[in-house]
């Protein structure tokens, strides 16, 4: 099994801790002039997203985590799993609800997502930063209102609900910033 | 230094022998040329201590040096593997008199008024952690680290008290020290390094350190002058290096010969110039006071 010494620690390095894959956020070297050196490390648990701190003696080694980020195309949801495909190799991957998390609100088939794989299994799915989705239901707005002030809730084809300006109507396509979950603009077909 | 009659000296950065302290690692290089056809290993000094003591033994009187020193394995917010030391030696001074001089020098270059505190190593640990560093067992020190919230302290594999004391000092005490100047003295005998040990119920090393803004800036000793004891400490260091799979380096026999010939009773101190500059300009990373840090050297 591959391992890393504390001398290899840097932001982004993927290691195993207590059986979970983790990513190093930052590593601080601490050493008294004539004494033991330590690495004080901030680490994100990639399964839970929690940030923890760890202290290592310099020179200690930890197991490497087989974690990589790949761009995969979203295919469909079968009710239990979300299925993705590598567009080069056509290899398919299925992600469970823990991996998809909040991103499921924005997933539309054929969109390309960044998927973090751990030992070949999706650990987390990041929806594209911007997605175009169709409004399936919203109250009819007042004709001629183009101010954008106020706004109203709109339900999208994926089931997500966002606030949109009053002039936007059912059946229209809109662009969403998935990081904030906010309406950006009306969008053209495709 | 000139006003105080301390002479400037220069000693080699490349030495045929190296520091034995297992907590210090020397960078090494190879000289190939006349007299060294197959290449002669040379160690870059981690401090100019051995060579300066040879000058003292030769009768130099008080001396100082500002030089680049080199430590393998050290890079971070407060560490660059190549850095600058001001080191000086005072025949006839004890550690308290040298602490006075060090304090005066730091006040002279730090433009703002400084409040000064002096605490023994024991008082420092009692004040901040409520434990006695000289009598606490490794298990008690470990428990203290866990209680004080040192992340994953329970998973650290360290058998000796000194490693736990180093952990508590760097993780729990230093962050609490604040902006004042602090001089710490009377270290555990096991951390004597090259300092004389005062005998007593609890033997103490005549060693001191200076902190400013919670950052260790200087380390000083009432210098060990006994060649036999020095050789014994070197050999203990080498044995520890052997156990820990660290490089076993050649002993500095010329330094030992100088001690045998007679080192005047003296105290010496080394002050990290880069960290002192960090304090003066309020830098929070050593890279900010270096022209080209190791990543861009």
């Amino acid at each position: 099994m591959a391992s890393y010494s504390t001398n290899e620690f840097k932001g982004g390095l993927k290691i195993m801790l207590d059986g979970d894959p983790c990513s190093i956020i930052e590593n601080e070297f601490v050493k008294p002039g004539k004494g033991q050196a330590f690495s004080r490390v901030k680490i994100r648990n990639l399964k839970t997203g929690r940030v923890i701190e760890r202290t290592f003696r310099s020179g200690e080694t930890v197991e490497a985590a087989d974690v990589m980020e790949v761009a995969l195309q979203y295919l469909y949801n079968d009710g239990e799993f979300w299925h993705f495909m590598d567009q080069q190799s056509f290899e398919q991957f299925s992600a469970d609800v823990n991996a998809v998390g909040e991103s499921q609100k924005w997933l539309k088939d054929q969109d390309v997502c960044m998927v973090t794989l751990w030992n070949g299994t999706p650990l987390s799915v990041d929806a594209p930063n911007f997605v175009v989705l169709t409004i399936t239901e919203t109250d009819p707005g007042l004709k001629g209102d183009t101010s954008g002030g106020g706004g109203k809730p709109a339900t999208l084809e994926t089931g997500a609900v966002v606030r949109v300006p009053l002039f936007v109507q059912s059946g229209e396509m809109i662009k969403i910033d998935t990081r904030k979950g906010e309406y950006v603009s009306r969008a053209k077909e495709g | 230094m000139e006003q105080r009659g301390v002479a400037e000296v220069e000693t080699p950065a490349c030495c045929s022998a190296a520091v034995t302290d297992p907590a210090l690692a020397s960078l090494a290089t190879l000289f190939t040329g006349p007299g060294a056809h197959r290449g002669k290993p040379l160690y870059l000094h981690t401090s100019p201590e051995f060579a300066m003591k040879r000058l003292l033994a030769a009768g130099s009187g008080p001396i100082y040096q500002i030089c680049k020193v080199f430590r393998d394995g050290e890079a971070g917010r407060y560490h660059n593997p190549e850095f600058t030391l001001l080191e000086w030696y005072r025949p006839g001074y004890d550690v308290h008199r040298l602490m006075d001089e060090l304090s005066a020098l730091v006040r002279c270059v730090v433009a703002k008024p400084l409040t000064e505190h002096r605490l023994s190593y024991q008082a420092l640990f009692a004040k901040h952690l409520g434990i006695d560093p000289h009598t606490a067992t490794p298990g008690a020190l470990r428990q203290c680290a866990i209680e004080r919230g040192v992340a994953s302290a329970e998973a650290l594999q360290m058998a000796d008290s000194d490693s736990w004391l180093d952990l508590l000092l760097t993780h729990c005490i230093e962050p609490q020290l604040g902006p004042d100047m602090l001089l710490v003295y009377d270290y555990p005998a096991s951390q004597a390094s090259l300092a004389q040990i005062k005998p007593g119920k609890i033997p103490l090393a005549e060693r001191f350190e200076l902190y400013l803004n919670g950052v260790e800036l200087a380390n000083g000793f009432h210098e060990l002058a006994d060649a036999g004891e020095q050789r014994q400490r070197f050999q203990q260091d080498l044995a520890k290096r052997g156990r820990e799979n660290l490089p076993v380096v050649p002993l500095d026999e010329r330094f030992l010969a100088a001690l045998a010939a007679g080192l005047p009773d003296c105290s010496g101190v080394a002050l990290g110039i880069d960290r002192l500059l960090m304090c003066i300009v309020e830098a929070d990373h050593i890279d900010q006071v270096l022209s080209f840090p190791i990543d861009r050297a």
Side-chain angles (χ1 to χ4, degrees), chain B residues 4-59:
Chain B
R4 293 187 172 214
V6 183
E8 181 171 16
V9 296
E10 208 176 63
T11 59
C14 292
C15 308
S16 54
V19 68
T20 56
D21 187 336
L24 294 173
S26 300
L27 288 160
T29 186
L30 211 58
F31 168 69
T32 311
H37 175 62
R38 288 191 172 75
K40 171 186 162 71
L42 290 173
Y43 299 89
L44 276 64
H45 62 176
T46 57
S47 105
E49 180 150 10
F50 297 165
M52 289 182 80
K53 285 182 183 166
R54 284 165 64 191
L55 293 177
L56 288 156

Side-chain angles (χ1 to χ4, degrees), chain B:
Chain B
M1 290 293 173
E2 193 180 348
Q3 278 170 20
R4 293 187 172 214
V6 183
E8 181 171 16
V9 296
E10 208 176 63
T11 59
C14 292
C15 308
S16 54
V19 68
T20 56
D21 187 336
L24 294 173
S26 300
L27 288 160
T29 186
L30 211 58
F31 168 69
T32 311
H37 175 62
R38 288 191 172 75
K40 171 186 162 71
L42 290 173
Y43 299 89
L44 276 64
H45 62 176
T46 57
S47 105
E49 180 150 10
F50 297 165
M52 289 182 80
K53 285 182 183 166
R54 284 165 64 191
L55 293 177
L56 288 156
S60 66
I63 49 174
Y64 81 95
Q65 170 162 215
I66 296 180
C67 60
K68 281 292 185 73
V69 296
F70 306 85
R71 295 186 184 180
D72 198 12
E74 303 188 4
R77 185 173 165 198
Y78 293 106
H79 296 83
N80 194 64
E82 170 180 348
F83 63 102
T84 304
L85 276 185
L86 162 57
E87 185 154 324
W88 76 99
Y89 291 86
R90 284 296 213 162
Y93 277 38
D94 65 12
V95 287
H96 291 278
R97 199 165 162 205
L98 190 57
M99 279 191 266
D100 293 341
E101 188 164 58
L102 171 65
S103 165
L105 184 140
V106 170
R107 283 165 192 287
C108 179
V109 293
V110 175
K112 58 187 179 194
L114 289 172
T115 308
E116 179 184 318
H117 309 275
R118 294 192 189 190
L119 287 174
S120 69
Y121 190 87
Q122 184 177 39
L124 180 72
F125 275 75
K127 179 179 172 188
H128 292 283
L129 300 175
I131 51 169
D132 184 341
H134 301 306
T135 57
T137 61
L141 297 169
R142 174 180 180 274
Q143 192 55 39
C144 179
I146 294 168
E147 281 165 15
R148 295 283 164 161
V150 176
S152 67
E154 66 286 352
L156 285 168
Q157 301 289 319
M158 303 193 295
D160 60 323
S161 294
D162 287 325
S163 295
W164 288 107
L165 291 170
D166 287 340
L167 180 76
L168 291 168
L169 181 65
T170 51
H171 288 65
C172 304
I173 297 180
E174 286 180 7
Q176 295 184 52
L177 289 180
D180 295 350
M181 185 184 340
L182 170 67
L183 286 146
V184 183
Y185 58 92
D186 282 350
Y187 276 65
S190 52
Q191 297 180 25
S193 190
L194 303 177
Q196 290 196 22
I197 294 173
K198 281 189 289 193
K201 209 168 89 189
I202 296 169
L204 295 169
E206 291 184 84
R207 173 181 161 193
F208 64 94
E209 296 227 344
L210 180 139
Y211 286 87
L212 196 58
N213 290 335
V215 178
E216 177 192 346
L217 287 190
N219 177 82
F221 302 134
H222 181 204
E223 303 294 345
L224 177 64
D226 182 320
E229 187 176 343
Q230 183 66 71
R231 182 179 293 279
Q232 215 172 28
R233 289 193 201 174
F234 277 169
Q235 280 160 349
Q236 281 166 1
D237 284 348
L238 290 183
K240 192 172 180 204
R241 279 175 170 265
R243 288 195 299 275
E244 295 180 4
N245 291 319
L246 298 169
V248 176
V249 293
L251 288 189
D252 194 334
E253 290 293 346
R254 290 190 180 89
F255 165 60
L256 288 168
L259 292 191
L263 180 75
D265 185 59
C266 65
S267 291
V269 61
L271 172 66
I273 297 295
D274 313 272
R275 290 188 185 173
L276 180 62
L277 280 172
M278 283 176 73
C279 288
I280 293 171
V281 303
E282 295 176 355
D284 57 16
H285 199 292
I286 196 167
D287 289 2
Q288 292 169 259
V289 297
L290 299 170
S291 55
F292 300 111
I294 186 66
D295 288 343
R296 298 191 291 134

Side-chain angles (χ1 to χ4, degrees), chain A residues 7 28-36 38 40 53-57 60, chain B residues 23 73-75 79 151-152 156-158 166-167 170-171 193 216 219 221:
Chain A
N7 281 338
E28 190 174 4
F29 178 80
V30 181
K31 181 185 185 301
K34 301 201 177 287
Q36 175 68 50
F38 300 96
R40 193 154 53 191
E53 278 193 36
R54 281 286 177 124
T55 312
F56 296 94
R57 270 189 316 144
E60 271 190 79
Chain B
E74 303 188 4
H79 296 83
S152 67
L156 285 168
Q157 301 289 319
M158 303 193 295
D166 287 340
L167 180 76
T170 51
H171 288 65
S193 190
E216 177 192 346
N219 177 82
F221 302 134

Side-chain angles (χ1 to χ4, degrees), chain A residues 61-126:
Chain A
T61 56
V62 292
E63 193 184 318
D66 176 15
V67 170
M68 53 184 181
E69 288 196 339
V70 288
L72 299 180
Q73 187 180 43
Y74 172 57
L75 299 178
Y76 64 96
N77 169 243
D78 65 10
E80 188 179 2
F81 291 101
W82 284 256
H83 296 269
F84 295 83
M85 184 180 69
D86 184 317
Q87 288 173 287
Q88 259 84 54
S89 68
F90 305 111
E91 190 181 349
Q92 293 198 12
F93 300 87
S94 52
D96 65 13
V97 67
N98 289 326
V100 175
E102 285 287 290
S103 293
Q104 61 177 285
K105 292 201 298 195
W106 315 116
L107 289 182
K108 193 168 85 169
D109 52 323
Q110 300 193 17
D111 276 356
V112 174
C113 304
M114 287 310 294
V115 177
T116 304
L117 298 177
W118 173 41
N119 297 330
T121 303
L123 196 60
S124 65
V125 174
D126 289 320

